[in-house]
Amino acid sequence: MSSIFLPPTIQPIYSAIAQRSGVDLSVLRLDCMHPWVNGNKWFKLKYNLLEAKQKNCTTLLTFGGAYSNHIFATAAAGNLFGFRTIGMIRGEERLPLNPTLSFAVQQGMQLFYLDREKYRQRKTTALHTELQQRFGEVFIIPEGGGNLNGVRGCMEIVNTAAFDTVCVACGTGTTLAGIILSLQKGQRAIGFPVLKNGAFLAPEIDSWLKNYLASGFPIVNEAMSTTGYAYASWELICDYHMGGYAKVNDELLMFSQQFTQEHGIPLDYVYTAKMFYGVMDLLKQGFFPVGDRLLLIHTGGLQGNLGMEKRLLQ
Ligand SMILES: *Cc1c(COP(=O)(O)O)cnc(C)c1O
């Protein structure tokens, strides 16, 4: 299953700010692993697809907004690995379909729409039972791939990298939880919530860690099993949401353009641009210790820029 993916490259960033701070900066390019199935969303899908296969389930059903990276990745991965896919989309159908949803349909995904009230029930057994009755045997993957299978996949993200501090953008924090569970002694993780008041994620990430370790899922780090999560040195920095989820301002747009020009790395506006902006700002403030080897995770999401740029031009 993994053979069609390129291993993520680690790209050094030569930046005057980092050099002045004595910090070593690299980017882990999860965005380059496959043209469509990439970023953290592939890691969150991987063990869900394997479980579906094991259970002989041939249809995947999942949930997402109209611009969702997860819907995009699930449609493409389903097509690649021979699953039928069903996307339950939040809100009403709007035609013509936006770039995300038309791609999903091209990949063979069937789309259905849930009004906001119904969508709020997306985690309930009641709705799942209803969907099983309507569509037959389907393997249900939660929105964003946010389950323990998702956490498990994210434990493989920083596998091959040497670093002291790893930085990642957070929506639900599932990806950060997986990364935390794979930390080695002396390493730490910093999450950058892209939602307003992101501190609410801390207890949720804590629950992911506890649930994961209690679940009997495989661990990579022996210290985790005996001492709880001994190496889990992590924190959230909540100041770089730029007004909230999928909100952008001129400063972020400028930063993103400049960064791409200087370093040849495209960023998505919803997640990675905010994290990279935050890291660069923190570097200016001397937040990171001299000698720190920083690894920034490029979690992908570039498909979303198409829809975003269209909206910005209107
Ligand atoms: C979904 C997503 C995230 C956030 O992942 P969580 O596990 O929900 O925290 C970060 N970056 C990109 C590009 C994403 O698509």
Side-chain angles (χ1 to χ4, degrees):
M1 189 176 250
S2 299
S3 61
I4 58 163
F5 296 96
L6 293 170
T9 50
I10 297 173
Q11 181 173 340
I13 299 282
Y14 301 103
S15 119
I17 302 171
Q19 264 159 17
R20 243 177 277 135
S21 328
V23 168
D24 188 41
L25 210 54
S26 307
V27 179
L28 183 70
R29 300 288 306 269
L30 304 183
D31 58 315
C32 297
M33 296 176 67
H34 183 275
W36 304 312
V37 190
N38 65 43
N40 62 335
K41 295 300 183 285
W42 162 243
F43 288 88
K44 292 171 95 176
L45 279 173
K46 179 177 168 186
Y47 288 100
N48 281 300
L49 266 57
L50 285 169
E51 190 186 337
K53 237 185 196 131
Q54 234 167 33
K55 293 188 165 154
N56 291 320
C57 244
T58 53
T59 303
L60 309 172
L61 179 147
T62 196
F63 305 87
Y67 294 92
S68 161
N69 293 331
H70 167 70
I71 288 289
F72 188 95
T74 305
N79 192 20
L80 210 52
F81 296 113
F83 292 96
R84 280 183 60 216
T85 52
I86 296 173
M88 307 303 298
I89 309 301
R90 182 183 61 228
E92 305 206 327
E93 179 177 39
R94 292 213 190 152
L95 296 172
L97 293 176
N98 73 29
T100 305
L101 295 182
S102 40
F103 172 85
V105 168
Q106 274 167 33
Q107 295 292 307
M109 185 177 257
Q110 275 181 289
L111 302 181
F112 298 91
Y113 295 82
L114 295 174
D115 64 43
R116 290 183 185 250
E117 193 180 329
K118 196 89 182 173
Y119 193 83
R120 242 173 268 135
Q121 300 167 28
R122 66 192 175 278
K123 294 178 183 167
T124 63
T125 329
L127 181 62
H128 292 186
T129 310
E130 191 185 315
L131 293 170
Q132 297 280 11
Q133 276 163 0
R134 180 167 167 196
F135 296 113
E137 270 288 288
V138 291
F139 187 85
I140 298 179
I141 302 175
E143 180 184 58
N147 58 11
L148 292 179
N149 282 328
V151 174
R152 180 179 179 188
C154 292
M155 288 165 62
E156 297 174 2
I157 290 178
V158 295
N159 255 352
T160 54
F163 62 89
D164 302 307
T165 303
V166 56
C167 297
V168 66
C170 298
T172 62
T174 322
T175 304
L176 178 61
I179 289 173
I180 290 168
L181 286 166
S182 68
L183 291 181
Q184 303 294 323
K185 205 171 181 170
Q187 294 181 325
R188 67 166 170 165
I190 303 180
F192 291 77
V194 301
L195 303 93
K196 223 186 255 183
N197 305 321
F200 78 89
L201 283 181
E204 293 186 9
I205 291 165
D206 218 41
S207 314
W208 281 120
L209 298 175
K210 291 202 173 99
N211 290 341
Y212 190 90
L213 291 171
S215 69
F217 268 62
I219 48 162
V220 288
N221 193 326
E222 283 309 315
M224 294 284 180
S225 63
T226 50
T227 59
Y229 31 103
Y231 299 157
S233 167
W234 62 278
E235 65 182 297
L236 295 177
I237 293 181
C238 303
D239 309 326
Y240 297 103
H241 57 75
M242 309 277 173
Y245 184 76
K247 297 273 187 343
V248 295
N249 57 28
D250 290 345
E251 210 175 328
L252 186 73
L253 294 175
M254 283 256 292
F255 167 81
S256 184
Q257 274 171 13
Q258 251 171 25
F259 188 90
T260 304
Q261 255 173 25
E262 246 173 79
H263 304 290
I265 301 177
L267 303 174
D268 85 291
Y269 302 117
V270 180
Y271 293 102
T272 50
K274 292 182 182 181
M275 184 270 282
F276 277 68
Y277 180 96
V279 169
M280 290 303 179
D281 195 50
L282 291 171
L283 275 169
K284 281 185 214 157
Q285 299 171 27
F287 176 86
F288 300 102
V290 173
D292 211 9
R293 290 170 305 165
L294 267 182
L295 183 69
L296 315 191
I297 312 292
H298 194 313
T299 39
L302 295 167
Q303 68 86 20
N305 280 7
L306 279 176
M308 178 73 86
E309 276 155 10
K310 241 180 168 166
R311 275 178 291 167
L312 289 173
L313 287 172
Q314 274 169 6

